[in-house]
Amino acid sequence: MEQITTQGSLQADAPNYSGEGKTLDQLLAECNFSEEELKVVNGYVSQIDVMDNNEILQYGVGCQKKLTDFSENALNNVKTKDLGAVGDMLTDVIGELKQFDAAEEKKGLFGFFKKSADRIETLKGRYTAAATNVQKICDALEGHQVTLMKDIAVLDQMYELNTTYFRELTMYIMAGKKKLEELRTKKLPELMEKAQRTGLQEDAQAVKDMDSQCNRFEKKLHDLELTRMISLQMAPQIRLIQSGDTQMVEKIQSTIVNTVPLWKSQMVLALGMEHSTQAAKAQSAVTDLTNELLRKNAEVLKTASIETAKASERGIVDMETLKQTNESLISTLDEVMRIQKEGHEKRMEAEGQMQQIETELKAKLLQISHS
């Protein structure tokens, strides 16, 4: 059968199959098919032969397989991520900055600035060592940032691909429903009328065969709808993963372009101010400025540490999202079970009626043969 690819929002493209009593025309309207898509749907309808067991078995299988392979690729994409390592690196950056500051404070940073030039060289050496460690971590973080940005782009492609598969599967389902409606409202009544008119056993059997194949095809469409639901749920899951990657990229960028440069600039200023200690007149100004820089540094580090800790403790998926997803799944399963039950009851009722028709037909044939 002809394939067609489309893109768009799954939420906008998803017809509500749970609406009891909706006609096929209403369902088709909810799908918002374009004229080209409607032509393809009608083309599917014209090609469906429910009396061909193999065709029923293979109907929509190609699209189902693509969705299955796609789901596996999406799962692998999640399994291969190790955002914990990135979080550890961010923590290491803050740790290096805090450790350096704490070490100097214990040794009397203010007193150091008031003493000889060799203490300045010692501080410079410690600063250089800390800056080297920080730079190594930042280089590694930049590599992770590039990888995460590539992953975000791949997830966009995956989302669009999932949307395409979802749309294709919807077209198969609606074509099947349309064909099923045609058979049950036109073909079956015609066969029934013929069987009643001729009284032939083979005509009665033709009615039963057609009804049986329609039921089979209905079950096949139900199977496609389950696959379609998986695709529908995949869309928000992809966006959740993408959101987690985006947040991590933002944290890395904030650390590299804000936290580290601020720390370096404050230390450079502190070192530069030390040279003014040679002038007794500037002694008080140096002490005040150093105090101010250290307070600002401590505040910045505190804020960055708190935000990083909060971000690290937060899960990729909020509990509220999980609850909503779970409630949606439960509601969907309840609705599916209700539809299956109703379908079974209707099929049982139809089967009983056909048995009654068959009995009446046979009785009539016997009556005719004895008259």
Side-chain angles (χ1 to χ4, degrees), residues 37-57:
E37 289 171 334
L38 285 174
K39 289 180 181 178
V40 174
V41 170
N42 292 329
Y44 288 169
V45 173
S46 65
Q47 297 177 40
I48 297 173
D49 182 7
V50 296
M51 300 309 294
D52 187 334
N53 290 321
N54 185 62
E55 181 170 336
I56 291 179
L57 185 64

Side-chain angles (χ1 to χ4, degrees), residues 53 249 269 279 311 332:
N53 290 321
V249 168
L269 287 173
T332 300

Side-chain angles (χ1 to χ4, degrees), residues 100 104 109 112-113 116-132 263-264 267-275:
F100 174 82
E104 293 307 326
L109 183 59
F112 171 83
F113 278 128
S116 60
D118 61 328
R119 303 293 292 272
I120 297 179
E121 295 302 320
T122 300
L123 181 58
K124 285 181 179 179
R126 290 175 179 170
Y127 166 75
T128 300
T132 300
W263 174 75
K264 289 181 178 180
M267 293 311 301
V268 168
L269 287 173
L271 290 169
M273 287 299 298
E274 172 58 19
H275 295 291

Side-chain angles (χ1 to χ4, degrees), residues 245-282:
D245 288 352
T246 302
Q247 290 176 13
M248 193 58 71
V249 168
E250 292 171 350
K251 292 172 189 173
I252 293 174
Q253 186 175 18
S254 179
T255 299
I256 293 174
V257 304
N258 293 323
T259 305
V260 174
L262 178 60
W263 174 75
K264 289 181 178 180
S265 65
Q266 287 181 341
M267 293 311 301
V268 168
L269 287 173
L271 290 169
M273 287 299 298
E274 172 58 19
H275 295 291
S276 66
T277 60
Q278 301 299 324
K281 201 172 180 180

Side-chain angles (χ1 to χ4, degrees), residues 91 303-314:
T91 303
T303 301
S305 298
I306 291 174
E307 292 300 321
T308 301
K310 288 180 179 179
S312 298
E313 292 299 324
R314 182 180 180 185

Side-chain angles (χ1 to χ4, degrees), residues 349-360:
E349 181 181 351
E351 184 176 345
Q353 292 176 355
M354 284 190 290
Q355 289 177 353
Q356 181 180 353
I357 291 172
E358 185 176 347
T359 301
E360 292 173 356

Side-chain angles (χ1 to χ4, degrees), residues 96 104 137 148 164 220 370:
E96 286 285 348
E104 293 307 326
I137 298 173
L148 287 171
T164 297
K220 178 63 178 181
H370 285 85

